[in-house]
Amino acid sequence: KDQINHLVEIVRNPLDYNVPEWFVNRKRDFKDNSSGQALGGALDTKLRDDLERLRKIRAHRGIRHMFGLKVRGQRTKTTNRHGRTMGVKTKK
């Protein structure tokens, strides 16, 4: 029981246990410029807030998220064609 509680504490506050900053999932948070670990529902909420902020300031990433397009520079000419017409129509 004590080992489990110790592991939970390490996961919640990894920077207190000499875990490198690049390993946490919230590096340099936009609001308070601090790094930390977000878990469960808090992670979902922070991600939603970040995307909403990007949409609000009309950043390139926010606009791509709005339209449901690829965000990180992937090719979109021939991939990710779900729900759209594909191919060329030929005359019969």
Side-chain angles (χ1 to χ4, degrees):
K1 203 85 160 143
D2 292 335
Q3 290 178 346
I4 293 173
N5 291 336
H6 184 66
L7 289 175
V8 169
E9 182 62 29
I10 291 173
V11 170
R12 285 188 181 155
N13 301 314
L15 297 177
D16 296 342
Y17 293 93
N18 297 326
V19 174
E21 187 175 347
W22 58 265
F23 200 74
V24 298
N25 61 10
R26 293 294 297 178
K27 292 175 276 297
R28 294 185 304 275
D29 191 18
F30 180 74
K31 292 181 183 177
D32 56 1
N33 202 23
S34 66
S35 297
Q37 188 82 351
L39 302 173
L43 181 61
D44 295 336
T45 303
K46 287 182 183 273
L47 179 63
R48 193 176 330 108
D49 291 345
D50 289 344
L51 293 178
E52 188 60 37
R53 180 182 57 84
L54 290 171
R55 289 184 193 117
K56 183 178 174 185
I57 64 174
R58 304 294 287 181
H60 183 261
R61 278 178 54 205
I63 293 170
R64 303 283 293 184
H65 274 293
M66 269 196 304
F67 292 126
L69 299 171
K70 300 275 184 163
V71 176
R72 296 187 176 184
Q74 297 95 328
R75 296 182 181 269
T76 57
K77 182 175 181 180
T78 58
T79 60
N80 195 26
R81 293 184 175 182
H82 304 290
R84 296 188 180 116
T85 303
M86 291 180 259
V88 178
K89 270 191 173 178
T90 59
K91 290 186 178 182
K92 289 186 179 182

